[in-house]
Amino acid sequence: MQTWRRTFATSVARLGHSSTPNSRPALLRCAQILQASKKEEPCSLEDQEIKVNGLIRSVRKQKRFAFAEISDGSTVEPLQAILKPAQAADLSTGAAVEISGVWKACPPGKEQTHELQTTEVTVVGASDPETFPIQKKYQSTDFLRQIPHLRIRTPFQSLLARFRSECLFQLGNVFRSLPNGGFTQVQPPIITSSDCEGAGETFTLLARGAVTSSSTETDHFFRSPKYLTVSSQLHLEAYAAELGNVWTLTPVFRAEKSDTPRHLSEFYMLEAEANFLYDLDSLTGLVEHMLRDLTRRLYDSPVGQELLSMKRAGESGQESGADQSGLDLRQRWTALMDGPKWHRITYTQAIEKLQQAVAEKGASFKHPPTWDGGLQTEHEKYIVEVLHQGSPVFVTDYPKAIKPFYMAPSQVGENDSTPGETVACFDLLLPEVSEVAGGSLREHRLPNIIQNMREYGLIKERASANPDAPPSEPLYPHLSPTEDLGHLQWYADLRRWGSAPHGGFGLGFDRFLGYLSGVSSVRDIVSFPRYFGRADC
Amino acid sequence: MQTWRRTFATSVARLGHSSTPNSRPALLRCAQILQASKKEEPCSLEDQEIKVNGLIRSVRKQKRFAFAEISDGSTVEPLQAILKPAQAADLSTGAAVEISGVWKACPPGKEQTHELQTTEVTVVGASDPETFPIQKKYQSTDFLRQIPHLRIRTPFQSLLARFRSECLFQLGNVFRSLPNGGFTQVQPPIITSSDCEGAGETFTLLARGAVTSSSTETDHFFRSPKYLTVSSQLHLEAYAAELGNVWTLTPVFRAEKSDTPRHLSEFYMLEAEANFLYDLDSLTGLVEHMLRDLTRRLYDSPVGQELLSMKRAGESGQESGADQSGLDLRQRWTALMDGPKWHRITYTQAIEKLQQAVAEKGASFKHPPTWDGGLQTEHEKYIVEVLHQGSPVFVTDYPKAIKPFYMAPSQVGENDSTPGETVACFDLLLPEVSEVAGGSLREHRLPNIIQNMREYGLIKERASANPDAPPSEPLYPHLSPTEDLGHLQWYADLRRWGSAPHGGFGLGFDRFLGYLSGVSSVRDIVSFPRYFGRADC
């Protein structure tokens, strides 16, 4: 019965090509070796035979010895190997090698504590150093963006990939550890009928081959036009009605032609929806807790510490991809984790303070702040960086007229504007990246959501030419017989049977990763970024 | 400094509307209450005041008492409440309620051990039981598929959602616990230039509004045609070259017009790629280990046990969504976890055995098995169900001619066909679902991958009319000056600098979940399924 266990042990060990778990030299990763060598006590690997599979980051050939830096993507720090000139003859930057030798302590004064005295090295994938685009010296982010498939081989991008992986895992822990059984992770659809935000900047799908022919409705693979999702919120509400509290991390798509470091056409959105949720404070409290808890878990992880300790461009000659030289990331994280409760300010108060800043403090904006005009990025930056000294801030209760149809009205006492004019929503602003998350209570009452849809022009006229159209009255008492909910009927349906007060939020996952990493452009935080005019590789 | 902690505790507790963590009655989930009541020792909640937020699954009104079943999506089993007739007056199936009372032991002989003696019940979302489409009696899968937004409220679909959530979390543990630091989880792009499988059945993207106008190349948002990914493999290879071992779980898309219970147009694919991987046995060993480990972790989880214990349609009157009545799921899981090493058989052997079965055992197939013809589903079913008595089986080393260009040739000694005619690949077959995973070693040598691309017609003629075209020779010595790698140039690039032997696999995540759940159609395992002609909600 246990045959498979032995088999798997062998097979899985062979992943790293050491034929059995007990074979010598032991195949290890650079992170394991370097970590073991950093402890105060004597290194357990000292004088042991070890083996590493990795890429040559640099090689320096001298008369009597050659020195190579090996990296296997497990840590930013390279492993130092010392070789005889003959062993190093075929080595060049970028080459993939299997290298084994004895892990020797270095004499004091050397930069590293240990080095690998090479016994054997095999080049399994050669590299032409003359053409290899990745170099040890600083390379501009613009240049590296043109070769995303190789950019991943820079130490900083490699670290970012491991950091993202840790975030993905810790997110699962964050949501599981919430009270009362935690949140359920769901996978809502990517192909959808509706444009959640109503902005119309969506990608349309066609089954391949249909592009150049004339398209009619009947050509559509799904019988009617379908789009790539811009948000999973509507579907999360369907899940939350049954499951209570749900979350998802899914790709979303926006066909925006904006050319900013804050926007991508494809990005990951972290969304959550909570049923039986009655007030906006509970929702902002959830967001605050979630992000603090995530940051704390990342802080406690080795890769988090590696990110915080890494030398940045400008501090060393090494390429980093981060353009935040001198930034104190550790302070940024500490403020998130342990700082005082994040500020809440209503939209109306924010506008008043912005106007006051213009009138009394000489602040100047390209767009003068007005209550009807919403917040531009310049306003958001002023709110978070000047008015709140760089602390995270929730701006709540925006005008109904500039927000989507599904938001619930502001609650009495939490709205300092005319009743009915604002909705129970928030945007979370962080320094530098500005808006990183947004959410709201949802209108959960059937007559009210239908009235909202009517006001927002989302209800169509039922084609009276269609005599087969079923009468709408039995199912939808709040509709006139000529009104048609179209592709949003299922969403209204959710309010028809057992709809409790609920709310949720969406967080730009890549933007938040950028904030934690000190990377100011999302184009450098996503390995293969897609934006207007660019989808290389 | 700790202000936020108190705030968050309050806010997060308010998620369930209990105003402070210490308030009475305590808000609990049905799973917590029912679990506490099942233990041998006296139930810690007995005679305590508790509160639940949930949906009414059924209500039965009698003269002196009323009985309601409450469900909050945390467990399949409903919580029983007993009410006075006046309290139950407004209750109806489907309604969302807050209900509180005292948790009382029932006299022996009752089906449940405890019931809630209701003190207070509030309907926060009414439901019209006359029109509510979800009923307690059996409802056909066909009917339920038409209302996916409400189907989630059936006990079985609700359980499947929690089961998926557990799988997502445990996958993270499975990959982290692999030797040598585990696998890094990455998020490759969804919008891509290439069709990995070469099948051409992809969805094309258009920025909205461009559908009805005449389309030319310049209309494209990304300057050239882009598609929804059919597999992340090519990008995983870029990650693996740096990071070593990587995995992802991402949505993939196929515009196949097939109408089968095994295919969706949008589904989740679990893919992994391992660098410095030299042989197919290591790869199949990894797949086997990964699926055994995942199954074991699910078996050890409460939701896994709930799935294994749940009564199926046909066993009780209750709807389940599963059409596998009488199926012994526990046996299926045990075979996966603890059974002997999974079989390996080469494609050539499989074809021989199929032909032998036709000749000697009277097996009959719609498509007679031939070496050139590949395996049809009927062949796969025979291989796994008859030839291997329902045990999982890896079929390896398929003909090169029917597999994609990137696969490496079969290894000497592992190929019983003419050398060069087969490739080092596998399909994993399971009973009922047939192919659930496939993978291969990749051709990692630059001249060979270019030769493969040439043979597969993937290299274009360089437009000689373009005098600005850079000469191809310096970067690609293996290309003729008139050859152009087009959108696959970056993929060939990966072989140019430090390309080690590597390989990976893709697993149909929804299909595997269906196998574990005993659900034979992927349309019932995905909450909002998309397939030819259908993308409701």
Side-chain angles (χ1 to χ4, degrees):
Chain A
M1 274 315 231
Q2 295 306 306
T3 318
W4 75 269
R5 290 190 189 276
R6 283 197 304 279
T7 307
F8 118 65
T10 312
S11 298
V12 171
R14 253 190 299 188
L15 271 180
H17 197 53
S18 69
S19 53
T20 77
N22 295 321
S23 72
R24 286 286 177 273
L27 180 76
L28 295 168
R29 302 212 70 188
C30 292
Q32 298 170 304
I33 300 164
L34 295 170
Q35 195 56 40
S37 312
K38 269 188 192 130
K39 294 178 183 151
E40 293 298 318
E41 64 265 32
C43 170
S44 59
L45 295 172
E46 205 165 289
D47 299 325
Q48 300 290 310
E49 265 206 279
I50 56 172
K51 179 177 176 181
V52 163
N53 293 338
L55 301 173
I56 303 276
R57 199 180 284 169
S58 72
V59 59
R60 189 160 46 92
K61 300 177 187 180
Q62 296 180 347
K63 205 168 182 182
R64 292 179 49 219
F65 295 107
F67 300 91
E69 289 187 347
I70 319 287
S71 156
D72 65 358
S74 66
T75 177
V76 163
E77 200 183 337
L79 181 137
Q80 305 279 343
I82 180 167
L83 308 97
K84 291 176 203 126
Q87 290 174 320
D90 293 338
L91 300 193
S92 62
T93 302
V97 297
E98 293 184 21
I99 189 166
S100 50
V102 181
W103 191 236
K104 283 287 185 190
C106 293
K110 275 214 167 188
E111 203 183 322
Q112 68 272 17
T113 62
H114 294 74
E115 65 190 2
L116 186 70
Q117 283 195 352
T118 307
T119 28
E120 195 177 349
V121 60
T122 311
V123 175
V124 297
S127 169
D128 175 6
E130 298 300 314
T131 57
F132 186 46
I134 304 299
Q135 292 170 28
K136 210 183 163 188
K137 70 179 168 79
Y138 175 81
Q139 296 181 288
S140 78
T141 52
D142 272 352
F143 168 74
L144 289 171
R145 274 180 210 155
Q146 295 169 33
I147 46 168
H149 59 303
L150 300 172
R151 179 177 70 165
I152 186 73
R153 298 190 195 180
T154 63
F156 189 66
Q157 284 291 328
S158 178
L159 171 62
L160 284 183
R162 285 184 293 114
F163 182 61
R164 178 182 289 262
S165 179
E166 185 70 21
C167 281
L168 296 174
F169 183 74
Q170 294 303 345
L171 266 181
N173 284 320
V174 167
F175 279 107
R176 275 168 87 93
S177 68
L178 284 166
N180 282 3
F183 279 50
T184 304
Q185 186 177 2
V186 297
Q187 297 187 308
I190 307 299
I191 297 173
T192 55
S193 301
S194 50
D195 170 352
C196 180
E197 303 275 327
E201 291 175 322
T202 52
F203 288 104
T204 306
L205 285 187
L206 284 182
R208 196 170 184 172
V211 183
T212 48
S213 70
S214 68
S215 299
T216 67
E217 290 278 309
T218 52
D219 284 341
H220 289 291
F221 187 88
F222 294 113
R223 296 191 299 194
S224 60
K226 297 293 165 197
Y227 313 103
L228 289 185
T229 186
V230 295
S231 158
S232 298
Q233 179 208 317
L234 306 192
H235 292 92
L236 289 194
E237 290 185 55
Y239 286 105
E242 165 64 23
L243 297 164
N245 299 322
V246 297
W247 72 285
T248 191
L249 182 68
T250 31
V252 299
F253 303 85
R254 308 256 166 115
E256 291 175 9
K257 294 189 175 173
S258 46
D259 182 24
T260 84
R262 300 169 61 242
H263 293 89
L264 291 176
S265 297
E266 170 183 331
F267 58 99
Y268 269 82
M269 183 103 97
L270 172 65
E271 292 176 273
E273 194 76 23
N275 205 14
F276 291 95
L277 183 105
Y278 294 84
D279 57 82
L280 201 56
D281 269 3
S282 299
L283 189 59
T284 53
L286 170 66
V287 174
E288 181 169 345
H289 164 65
M290 205 271 296
L291 296 180
R292 284 181 188 269
D293 189 24
L294 177 61
T295 309
R296 164 62 64 194
R297 289 170 192 268
L298 292 170
Y299 188 87
D300 292 341
S301 74
V303 66
Q305 285 303 316
E306 206 175 348
L307 183 66
L308 290 174
S309 311
M310 190 187 178
K311 282 182 184 160
R312 296 284 163 149
E315 295 172 37
S316 80
Q318 203 147 7
E319 173 281 324
S320 80
D323 44 6
Q324 293 292 318
S325 52
L327 172 74
D328 191 342
L329 267 194
R330 201 172 288 270
Q331 193 180 45
R332 177 176 281 191
W333 286 37
T334 307
L336 277 186
M337 292 184 294
D338 300 326
K341 187 190 171 188
W342 298 353
H343 299 282
R344 272 82 172 158
I345 179 177
T346 68
Y347 172 86
T348 302
Q349 289 164 352
I351 292 288
E352 282 167 7
K353 288 195 175 176
L354 288 170
Q355 289 171 337
Q356 205 177 348
V358 171
E360 297 169 17
K361 293 178 191 161
S364 100
F365 300 106
K366 203 173 155 194
H367 305 269
T370 65
W371 197 82
D372 295 320
L375 295 178
Q376 306 295 322
T377 304
E378 58 177 340
H379 304 144
E380 293 176 344
K381 279 188 184 295
Y382 193 89
I383 293 170
V384 66
E385 282 161 17
V386 181
L387 295 180
H388 293 91
Q389 297 88 42
S391 299
V393 53
F394 291 101
V395 181
T396 68
D397 300 283
Y398 283 63
K400 180 180 180 180
I402 60 171
K403 286 290 177 183
F405 75 98
Y406 49 71
M407 292 189 175
S410 290
Q411 290 152 312
V412 178
E414 304 206 7
N415 165 29
D416 39 18
S417 166
T418 314
E421 278 198 331
T422 62
V423 280
C425 68
F426 75 87
D427 275 4
L428 172 61
L429 311 182
L430 293 181
E432 188 182 345
V433 291
S434 293
E435 184 205 339
V436 74
S440 77
L441 303 187
R442 320 306 187 185
E443 179 52 75
H444 77 287
R445 299 159 296 181
L446 184 62
N448 305 55
I449 197 85
I450 287 179
Q451 179 54 28
N452 279 2
M453 290 168 72
R454 200 176 277 128
E455 287 172 17
Y456 281 73
L458 296 169
I459 297 186
K460 294 174 188 170
E461 199 72 11
R462 187 181 287 279
S464 58
N466 179 7
D468 299 333
S472 59
E473 269 157 318
L475 256 182
Y476 289 95
H478 308 93
L479 282 184
S480 89
T482 61
E483 286 180 323
D484 190 338
L485 294 173
H487 61 73
L488 283 172
Q489 180 171 326
W490 72 269
Y491 184 68
D493 258 11
L494 298 179
R495 274 74 180 160
R496 199 161 163 69
W497 301 285
S499 172
H502 61 286
F505 69 89
L507 173 126
F509 185 59
D510 304 300
R511 243 183 231 183
F512 187 67
L513 287 188
Y515 185 70
L516 291 181
S517 317
V519 175
S520 62
S521 174
V522 281
R523 295 173 188 181
D524 299 321
I525 203 78
V526 170
S527 299
F528 295 92
R530 275 81 177 92
Y531 48 99
F532 182 52
R534 295 304 287 267
D536 302 334
C537 302
Chain B
M1 277 308 234
Q2 295 306 307
T3 319
W4 75 267
R5 290 190 190 276
R6 282 197 304 279
T7 308
F8 118 66
T10 312
S11 298
V12 172
R14 254 192 297 189
L15 271 181
H17 197 52
S18 71
S19 52
T20 77
N22 295 321
S23 73
R24 287 285 177 274
L27 180 74
L28 295 168
R29 303 212 71 188
C30 292
Q32 297 170 305
I33 300 165
L34 295 170
Q35 194 57 41
S37 311
K38 270 189 192 131
K39 292 176 184 152
E40 294 297 318
E41 64 266 31
C43 169
S44 59
L45 295 171
E46 203 165 288
D47 300 325
Q48 301 288 311
E49 266 207 278
I50 57 173
K51 180 178 175 179
V52 163
N53 293 337
L55 301 173
I56 304 275
R57 199 179 285 169
S58 70
V59 58
R60 189 159 46 91
K61 299 176 186 178
Q62 296 179 346
K63 204 168 181 183
R64 292 178 50 217
F65 295 107
F67 301 91
E69 289 187 348
I70 320 287
S71 156
D72 64 359
S74 65
T75 176
V76 164
E77 199 182 339
L79 182 137
Q80 305 279 344
I82 179 168
L83 308 97
K84 291 175 202 127
Q87 290 174 320
D90 292 339
L91 300 193
S92 61
T93 302
V97 297
E98 293 183 20
I99 189 165
S100 50
V102 181
W103 191 236
K104 283 287 186 191
C106 292
K110 274 213 168 188
E111 203 183 322
Q112 69 272 19
T113 63
H114 294 74
E115 64 190 3
L116 187 69
Q117 283 195 351
T118 307
T119 23
E120 197 178 347
V121 60
T122 311
V123 175
V124 298
S127 168
D128 176 5
E130 298 300 313
T131 56
F132 187 46
I134 304 299
Q135 291 170 27
K136 210 183 164 189
K137 69 178 169 78
Y138 175 80
Q139 295 181 289
S140 77
T141 52
D142 273 352
F143 168 75
L144 290 169
R145 275 180 207 154
Q146 296 170 33
I147 47 168
H149 58 304
L150 301 171
R151 178 177 70 164
I152 186 73
R153 299 190 196 180
T154 62
F156 189 66
Q157 285 290 329
S158 179
L159 172 60
L160 284 183
R162 284 185 293 112
F163 182 61
R164 179 181 289 263
S165 179
E166 185 71 23
C167 282
L168 296 174
F169 183 74
Q170 294 303 345
L171 266 181
N173 284 319
V174 167
F175 279 107
R176 275 167 87 92
S177 67
L178 284 167
N180 281 3
F183 279 50
T184 304
Q185 186 177 3
V186 297
Q187 297 186 309
I190 307 298
I191 297 173
T192 55
S193 301
S194 50
D195 171 352
C196 178
E197 304 275 327
E201 292 177 322
T202 53
F203 288 105
T204 306
L205 285 186
L206 286 180
R208 196 170 184 171
V211 182
T212 48
S213 70
S214 69
S215 300
T216 69
E217 289 280 308
T218 52
D219 284 341
H220 289 289
F221 187 90
F222 295 112
R223 297 190 298 192
S224 61
K226 297 295 166 197
Y227 313 103
L228 289 185
T229 187
V230 296
S231 158
S232 297
Q233 179 208 317
L234 306 192
H235 292 93
L236 289 194
E237 291 186 54
Y239 286 104
E242 165 64 23
L243 297 163
N245 299 322
V246 297
W247 72 284
T248 191
L249 182 68
T250 31
V252 298
F253 303 85
R254 308 255 167 116
E256 291 175 10
K257 293 189 176 173
S258 46
D259 182 24
T260 85
R262 300 169 62 242
H263 293 89
L264 291 175
S265 297
E266 170 183 332
F267 58 98
Y268 269 83
M269 183 103 96
L270 173 64
E271 292 176 272
E273 194 75 22
N275 205 14
F276 292 94
L277 183 104
Y278 296 84
D279 57 83
L280 201 56
D281 268 3
S282 299
L283 189 59
T284 53
L286 170 66
V287 173
E288 181 169 345
H289 164 67
M290 205 271 295
L291 295 180
R292 283 181 188 268
D293 189 24
L294 177 61
T295 308
R296 165 62 64 193
R297 289 170 192 269
L298 293 170
Y299 188 87
D300 291 342
S301 74
V303 66
Q305 285 302 317
E306 208 176 347
L307 183 66
L308 290 175
S309 311
M310 190 187 177
K311 283 183 184 158
R312 296 283 161 150
E315 296 172 36
S316 80
Q318 203 149 4
E319 173 282 325
S320 80
D323 43 7
Q324 293 294 319
S325 52
L327 172 73
D328 191 342
L329 267 193
R330 200 172 288 270
Q331 192 180 46
R332 177 176 281 192
W333 287 36
T334 307
L336 278 185
M337 293 185 294
D338 300 326
K341 187 189 172 190
W342 299 352
H343 298 280
R344 274 83 171 156
I345 179 177
T346 67
Y347 173 86
T348 303
Q349 288 163 351
I351 291 288
E352 281 166 8
K353 289 197 175 178
L354 288 170
Q355 288 171 337
Q356 205 177 348
V358 172
E360 297 169 17
K361 294 178 190 159
S364 100
F365 299 107
K366 205 173 153 192
H367 305 270
T370 66
W371 197 82
D372 296 320
L375 295 178
Q376 306 295 322
T377 304
E378 58 177 341
H379 303 144
E380 293 176 343
K381 279 188 184 297
Y382 191 89
I383 293 170
V384 65
E385 282 161 19
V386 180
L387 296 179
H388 294 92
Q389 297 88 42
S391 300
V393 54
F394 291 101
V395 181
T396 68
D397 301 282
Y398 283 64
K400 181 180 180 183
I402 59 171
K403 287 290 178 184
F405 75 98
Y406 49 70
M407 292 188 176
S410 289
Q411 290 152 312
V412 178
E414 305 207 4
N415 165 29
D416 38 18
S417 168
T418 314
E421 279 198 332
T422 62
V423 280
C425 68
F426 75 87
D427 275 5
L428 172 61
L429 310 183
L430 293 181
E432 189 182 346
V433 291
S434 293
E435 184 206 339
V436 73
S440 76
L441 303 186
R442 320 305 187 184
E443 180 51 75
H444 77 287
R445 299 160 297 180
L446 183 62
N448 304 56
I449 197 85
I450 286 179
Q451 179 56 26
N452 279 3
M453 290 168 70
R454 200 175 278 128
E455 286 171 19
Y456 281 73
L458 296 169
I459 296 185
K460 294 174 189 171
E461 198 71 11
R462 188 181 287 279
S464 57
N466 180 5
D468 299 333
S472 57
E473 268 157 318
L475 257 181
Y476 289 95
H478 308 92
L479 281 185
S480 88
T482 61
E483 285 181 322
D484 190 338
L485 293 174
H487 61 74
L488 282 173
Q489 179 170 327
W490 71 269
Y491 183 68
D493 257 9
L494 298 179
R495 274 76 178 157
R496 201 164 161 67
W497 300 284
S499 173
H502 61 286
F505 67 90
L507 173 126
F509 186 59
D510 304 299
R511 245 183 230 182
F512 188 68
L513 287 187
Y515 185 70
L516 291 181
S517 316
V519 175
S520 61
S521 174
V522 280
R523 295 173 187 180
D524 299 320
I525 205 77
V526 169
S527 299
F528 296 92
R530 276 80 176 92
Y531 48 98
F532 182 52
R534 295 305 287 267
D536 302 333
C537 302

